[in-house]
Amino acid sequence: MSLPTVAVITMARDEGSMLRRWVDHYSREVGAENLVVVDDNSSDGSTDNLPCPVLRIPPLTKKSFEPARMGLLGGLSAGLLEAYDAAIFCDVDEFIVAEPKKYESLRHFVAARPDRQAVGVMGLNVVHDVGIEPALVDGEPILGQRRLAKFLPLMCKPSLKWVPAHWALASHGIRCPFEVDPELFMFHMKFADRDHLQAVADHRHEMFRSDGRAARTSWERSGGDMVDLLDEITADIDHEAIKTFGPPLKKLPTIVEQSTPEIWRAVGSGQVQAMRNRPFVRIPDRFLARV
């Protein structure tokens, strides 16, 4: 039996080497020809010569940025679902992996979920343990160079869908019911490298200042602020007390709420507060070298 087809979409602007990692990862999962990189006016060359389709768009000035972004991505994914069995949207620093003990790839996971509308991921923010881990080495898997993470309910996004329901609320929500699937993991690399965090946060902060995008999010904070946060949370880690991550099965139903008559969303503390308050967990060995 043939496997279902899965389209994976991201939107990028000057994402440097992280975009190359994203393309490499999802090429292994679904095939490079099934990726779509929406280029939001990059100037760093990161979207040149990619082995996948690149859609170059003009500046999103017709309406405010976030509604325009969600509308564009929702419309694009709805169109792709006329040709594909399922669609994924995730940011350039978000890497989705199905449970390695059961599924060879995301396509195998999708094949095992034929009656779903959408599912949420197990959102893990990978953390650079600054005191003992060096800077990331390009070309080597991140998981293995990094061993710690924090599980954030807010990051349990409905990233995978089978139906043309539009994503909402900066992709933390969607216009159809969904549940968080304990066999679908998303590793968010925003905090995975101190130097990268500062560079990306400064870049995003400048975009917030120039056109107001991502207001009321961590994009309002400078790179210095975000690095200070990383240094703060990794300053005094009790490594012996850290447990290997396992999905909190009993709590998963409480992560999703119907926030309006039309939108279901993942809920939880914002990233800055959650990164301070959520406990560290150890990334299970079975995921090492998968991203």
Side-chain angles (χ1 to χ4, degrees):
M1 184 178 70
S2 62
L3 290 171
T5 54
V6 182
V8 187
I9 309 163
T10 196
M11 189 166 175
R13 182 175 180 181
D14 297 334
E15 293 289 350
S17 61
M18 192 61 74
L19 177 59
R20 176 60 65 174
R21 287 185 179 273
W22 186 95
V23 171
D24 289 346
H25 173 71
Y26 289 105
S27 294
R28 293 191 296 270
E29 294 287 335
V30 305
E33 68 277 11
N34 300 311
L35 312 182
V36 179
V37 174
V38 180
D39 181 7
D40 177 23
N41 300 276
S42 294
S43 60
D44 67 346
S46 59
T47 59
D48 297 339
N49 302 315
L50 293 178
C52 65
V54 176
L55 173 62
R56 303 184 190 279
I57 61 171
L60 296 178
T61 58
K62 185 176 179 180
K63 58 177 73 172
S64 58
F65 178 78
E66 195 56 39
R69 183 175 80 110
M70 288 292 96
L72 186 154
L73 294 168
L76 175 60
S77 62
L80 289 169
L81 284 170
E82 295 296 325
Y84 287 86
D85 297 303
I88 291 171
F89 168 69
C90 54
D91 291 333
V92 171
D93 57 3
E94 296 175 347
F95 297 79
I96 298 174
V97 181
E99 172 54 66
K101 293 189 293 186
K102 293 187 65 174
Y103 307 103
E104 293 180 35
S105 71
L106 290 172
R107 295 180 69 195
H108 290 83
F109 175 89
V110 169
R113 304 288 193 281
D115 301 320
R116 304 294 180 90
Q117 296 185 74
V119 296
V121 297
M122 304 294 302
L124 289 158
N125 272 14
V126 177
V127 179
H128 183 184
D129 189 351
V130 177
I132 63 174
E133 293 173 338
L136 287 176
V137 177
D138 284 342
E140 297 293 329
I142 296 175
L143 301 187
Q145 297 187 68
R146 300 291 179 260
R147 301 300 300 267
L148 301 182
K150 294 197 174 199
F151 173 69
L152 272 63
L154 183 67
M155 297 302 293
C156 295
K157 301 178 179 181
S159 301
L160 168 61
K161 66 181 183 180
W162 288 253
V163 298
H166 280 212
W167 287 290
L169 305 173
S171 78
H172 294 272
I174 194 169
R175 294 181 181 274
C176 71
F178 76 96
E179 296 178 350
V180 179
D181 196 303
E183 294 184 340
L184 191 63
F185 297 75
M186 188 268 281
F187 296 95
H188 183 209
M189 301 302 181
K190 180 173 185 174
F191 294 90
D193 185 80
R194 189 179 190 276
D195 292 341
H196 182 263
L197 172 64
Q198 178 147 16
V200 170
D202 278 336
H203 176 59
R204 291 177 175 176
H205 182 65
E206 180 56 35
M207 286 191 285
F208 160 73
R209 292 183 61 189
S210 64
D211 59 21
R213 71 180 60 187
R216 298 182 299 279
T217 73
S218 61
W219 285 37
E220 293 188 3
R221 294 175 178 263
S222 69
D225 288 342
M226 298 306 288
V227 163
D228 287 346
L229 171 63
L230 179 63
D231 291 343
E232 173 190 331
I233 65 175
T234 59
D236 191 23
I237 300 175
D238 183 358
H239 289 85
E240 294 185 359
I242 298 174
K243 297 180 180 180
T244 299
F245 178 72
L249 298 179
K250 293 182 179 180
K251 295 182 179 180
L252 293 187
T254 67
I255 291 175
V256 179
E257 71 173 22
Q258 187 174 2
S259 60
T260 73
E262 296 182 345
I263 296 175
W264 286 257
R265 66 166 299 166
V267 297
S269 302
Q271 284 204 65
V272 172
Q273 181 180 350
M275 290 299 287
R276 285 195 171 104
N277 298 334
R278 300 288 299 181
F280 279 105
V281 295
R282 196 169 304 281
I283 298 167
D285 287 348
R286 64 187 182 275
F287 291 101
L288 303 185
R290 283 297 301 268
V291 177

